[in-house]
Amino acid sequence: MRDPVTLAIVVTDAPELHSRLLATLHAALPRVGVLDPGAFACDLAGTEDLLGAPARVARNVLARCTLVGARASAGIAPTPFVARVLAERTPPGEVRSVDDGRAFLAALPLDVVPVDPKVHEELRLLGLRTVGEFADLPRGSVFDRFGSAVARAHALARGEYGDMVRASAPLRRIRARRAWDDAIGSREQLVFALRVVVDEISAALARDGFAALRLELRLDRESAGPLRIERTVLPPTREAAALLRSLRWALEERAELGLVTGCALEVPEVEAARGRQIGLFAPDGAREEEAIATARYLRAKLGKGAVLRARVADDSARLPERASEWVEVIA
Amino acid sequence: MARIEGRFGVHALARGHTSERHRSELVIATKSSLDRVIGGGLVAGEPIAFVGPPSVGKLQLALRATASAQAQGGMAAWIDPTASFDPLAAQRANVDLDRLVVVRARGTGLALAAAAALRSEGFRLVVVDVGDPAFGGVNVDDIAPALSAVRGSPAALLVVAGERGRRLAIPTFVFERVAWERRFDRTVGWSFAVGRAHTSDRALFCVTSLEGALADLGTRADLATVAV
C-alpha cells in the first residue's frame, strides 16, 4: 500500500488567483483537490518515482505559483488536514514537512480544530487548551457527548483521519477541426461535412459527462476572412443532432457563406449533462425535445400565433370556434 | 470512395442493401388498402402528394396517416397556411393533438416551416395542406424549396393539394369521387378512389356524412375478385 503523502498549497494574499493557481497545479500534478478558495491539497502518494521527492515537487510547484504571481506556502504531511495547518503556519515561498501529524498538532491551540464555536467554548469550559489535550480524550466519550461531527474533528486532531483528496478533472478544451482539399460552396454540403466534426465534439462531451452550453464555429474561407459564429444551446445538450441543428440554423441566417476550406468547432462553455426521461415504449419519445426546439425556431421566425397546438374544448359545441382551443406551443 | 470518406467521414457512404434492410422501420403504414396502392405506406425521407377536388377525402386519409405516425411513437407537424385545420375531425381520426404541432405559415414561411420540420429529427410525418387556390389556398409550388430537405429526413412529407404542381415532381396519388350515396333523396355520403394516374389499381373508401367515418372498401382488384 502507498504511504499517504499530501502536499498542501495555501495562498492567503491573492484569492483572485484561485482559478489560475488551480490550472497551474493541474498542469503539474495528477490529483489536485480544492479545500477552500486559495487552499489546495495534492495527493502525492506513489508519485515519488515519477516526480521526485515530495519536497522537491513542492519547491517546483511554489516556483510555478510565483510565475503566476502568487506567494504560496507549502506543507507536506500524511493527511490533508495536517498539511494544510502546516502550510498555513509556513512563511510564503517556503516548504515544511512533518512525519508525525499528531505530534505536530499537539502543541497548537484548540482553534485549529474545525468545530462549531459553541463546541470550542464547551471544550474550553472543560479545561482543554491545546489540540493535544483534545486528542487525548477517549474517542467513544467524544462521540457520545458531542456527536459524529466533533468525533471526526477528534480524529483529525489525532492525525489519523485522512480526508481523501477529491480531485477534480482538469478542464480540457473540447474542440475539433477539419480542413478540406476542395472548398465547399454549398450550404447543404457544408452542413453534411460539419456532421463529422459535431460527432467528434459530441463524443468528447459524452466522455467527460458534459453538455454544451455554447458553441463557437470558425469557418476558414478561400477568398474572405474567417467567419466566426457563436451559438447558445438551450437546453444544453451533447446530442449531435441538436448541436448540428443549432449550427445549421446559424448558417441559414447568413445570406452568403463563400467558399469554405476548413472549420474549427469549440465548446467554450459546458455544464454537467443531465439525464432525461425517455419514453420506454415509444421509439421516438426522446425526439420530442427536437420537435419542441423546431417549434421554438419557427416561432422566432414566423412570429406569435403561427406555431400552435390544438385542444378539443367541447366536442358537442354548436359553434366550431367553441369546439376547440389553440395554444402556443412555446409560450 | 476514400476521398469522400476522408472529406465527409466514414458514415457518408453506405451500401444500398443496408438501407433496404431498415426500410421497414421507416414505413408509416396507414393499415388500410391505401398501403397496397402506395407500396406499403408512407416512407420516411420520401415525399408523396394527395391531389383531388375539394371535399373528396384527402384530409381524412392524411389524418389517418398522422394517427399512424403518432402510433409509432413520433410527433407530427401539420403546416396549415389556410388556417383550416379542424381539431375535432383530427380527434375523431384518432390523432393525438398533444403530439401534433400546427404551423400557420404562408409565402416563404411555408417552405421554411416544412424544411425546418423535415430537418429537425423530431417528427415522423410532416403534412402540408396547401388548400385549394380557388378558396384562399396557396400555390402548391410554394413548397418546392423544401423538397431538398426530404431526402435523409426521418420524417415523411405528405402534400395535400387541389391540383398538381408545375414545379413539384413527387409521387402523386389522385383522389376521384366514385359515387354519391343517397338515401330518401338525401346525400348521406360518398365513395372515392385513390391511386396513381397511370395505373389502374385503386384503393376505395366510403365516407358517411352522418358520422364522418371513413370506411375502407379494399382495392379495386379485391372487389373484382369478390365479384367473380
Side-chain angles (χ1 to χ4, degrees):
Chain A
M1 186 167 170
R2 303 173 308 171
D3 291 332
V5 184
T6 304
L7 166 66
I9 302 290
V10 175
V11 180
T12 51
D13 57 345
E16 70 278 4
L17 292 174
H18 174 83
S19 52
R20 290 188 66 188
L21 279 171
L22 182 59
T24 304
L25 293 173
H26 272 312
L29 300 170
R31 289 182 293 276
V32 180
V34 177
L35 302 172
D36 268 322
F40 308 93
C42 315
D43 182 6
L44 297 184
T47 62
E48 189 159 350
D49 291 344
L50 191 67
L51 302 174
R56 187 180 160 198
V57 173
R59 279 193 294 276
N60 289 340
V61 168
L62 289 184
R64 288 193 181 209
C65 293
T66 310
L67 292 176
V68 174
R71 296 181 69 239
S73 53
I76 301 168
T79 67
F81 175 69
V82 177
R84 181 183 180 174
V85 172
L86 181 63
E88 284 171 346
R89 279 153 181 76
T90 302
E94 290 185 20
V95 180
R96 283 178 65 195
S97 65
V98 295
D99 292 329
D100 187 349
R102 182 170 181 173
F104 164 70
L105 293 173
L108 296 178
L110 201 57
D111 298 342
V112 171
V113 180
V115 290
D116 196 72
K118 286 181 182 173
V119 178
H120 270 300
E121 190 60 32
E122 202 169 339
L123 293 173
R124 280 197 191 90
L125 289 173
L126 289 170
L128 303 176
R129 293 290 179 270
T130 63
V131 178
E133 289 168 356
F134 175 57
D136 288 340
L137 294 175
R139 182 179 310 203
S141 305
V142 172
F143 185 84
D144 290 344
R145 185 179 176 95
F146 297 103
S148 60
V150 180
R152 180 180 170 278
H154 181 255
L156 290 176
R158 288 183 169 210
E160 330 176 309
Y161 190 85
D163 267 341
M164 296 296 289
V165 175
R166 296 187 189 280
S168 56
L171 287 178
R172 285 187 295 170
R173 291 184 77 179
I174 299 175
R175 60 178 174 175
R177 57 178 64 201
R178 282 285 186 286
W180 298 296
D181 297 335
D182 302 327
I184 297 176
S186 146
R187 186 176 281 115
E188 284 302 314
Q189 274 192 19
L190 180 60
V191 171
F192 190 66
L194 281 175
R195 194 183 290 259
V196 184
V197 184
V198 169
D199 282 344
E200 204 173 306
I201 290 284
S202 175
L205 288 168
R207 202 164 48 239
D208 290 350
F210 287 138
L213 185 60
R214 205 154 56 82
L215 295 174
E216 277 180 9
L217 176 67
R218 194 194 74 213
L219 295 175
D220 299 322
R221 296 184 291 180
E222 202 168 70
S223 51
L227 176 65
R228 294 178 193 279
I229 294 171
E230 273 197 32
R231 297 289 289 180
T232 302
V233 186
L234 289 174
T237 181
R238 64 180 184 219
E239 293 287 329
L243 299 176
L244 187 66
R245 185 188 62 232
S246 178
L247 293 177
R248 179 199 294 276
W249 289 346
L251 294 174
E252 283 178 356
E253 286 167 5
R254 263 103 182 145
E256 188 59 44
L257 293 173
L259 293 171
V260 180
T261 56
C263 72
L265 181 61
E266 182 165 359
V267 185
E269 215 169 326
V270 294
E271 71 172 42
R274 288 171 288 180
R276 66 178 183 184
Q277 187 73 34
I278 296 176
L280 190 59
F281 300 106
D284 290 339
R287 299 288 183 197
E288 188 165 341
E289 285 177 16
E290 301 279 331
I292 298 302
T294 308
R296 184 181 289 125
Y297 168 73
L298 286 175
R299 188 180 187 275
K301 287 284 179 189
L302 303 173
K304 195 177 171 186
V307 185
L308 303 165
R309 186 174 274 168
R311 195 175 72 84
V312 174
D314 180 7
D315 54 4
S316 58
R318 292 187 175 185
L319 296 172
E321 57 268 28
R322 290 191 181 170
S324 56
E325 288 176 355
W326 293 90
V327 291
E328 296 267 353
V329 175
I330 306 297
Chain B
M1 284 172 66
R3 197 171 172 192
I4 291 172
E5 286 193 345
R7 186 171 182 182
F8 298 116
V10 291
H11 300 297
L13 292 172
R15 287 188 183 277
H17 68 81
T18 307
S19 301
E20 284 298 315
R21 194 177 58 195
H22 295 300
R23 186 180 168 88
S24 61
E25 297 167 15
L26 301 174
V27 169
I28 301 166
T30 61
K31 296 192 176 89
S32 69
S33 52
L34 178 71
D35 293 342
R36 277 180 280 167
V37 174
I38 64 177
L42 284 73
V43 182
E46 291 182 11
I48 189 173
F50 288 173
V51 171
S55 297
V56 71
K58 304 185 293 293
L59 286 177
Q60 285 271 10
L61 276 183
L63 288 171
R64 191 163 184 155
T66 306
S68 301
Q70 290 179 334
Q72 291 181 10
M75 287 189 74
W78 191 284
I79 318 293
D80 185 25
T82 56
S84 59
F85 180 79
D86 182 1
L88 213 54
Q91 193 182 51
R92 284 182 188 143
N94 295 324
V95 172
D96 181 358
L97 293 173
D98 288 335
R99 290 195 290 142
L100 182 75
V101 176
V102 180
V103 184
R104 291 176 175 169
R106 294 179 73 94
T108 54
L110 184 68
L112 173 77
L118 286 166
R119 285 171 176 160
S120 81
E121 303 194 10
F123 298 102
R124 288 280 293 167
L125 178 67
V126 178
V127 181
V128 183
D129 175 18
V130 297
D132 195 314
F135 301 100
V138 298
N139 191 341
V140 66
D141 289 329
D142 287 352
I143 63 162
L147 283 186
S148 61
V150 183
R151 191 173 295 278
S153 166
L157 174 66
L158 171 57
V159 180
V160 181
E163 55 190 22
R164 286 168 181 271
R166 291 179 182 172
R167 293 163 51 203
L168 219 56
I170 59 177
T172 301
F173 291 84
V174 180
F175 283 59
E176 301 158 324
R177 201 182 311 275
V178 176
W180 293 102
E181 190 170 343
R182 296 176 67 82
R183 284 182 193 161
F184 308 112
D185 288 336
R186 287 175 183 268
T187 302
V188 293
W190 67 91
S191 53
F192 64 90
V194 189
R196 299 200 74 155
H198 59 273
T199 61
S200 60
D201 202 12
R202 294 282 186 274
L204 298 167
F205 295 90
C206 177
V207 179
T208 53
S209 52
L210 283 175
E211 298 169 356
L214 183 71
D216 183 7
L217 302 178
T219 63
R220 187 170 282 172
D222 291 340
L223 292 180
T225 311
V226 170
V228 170

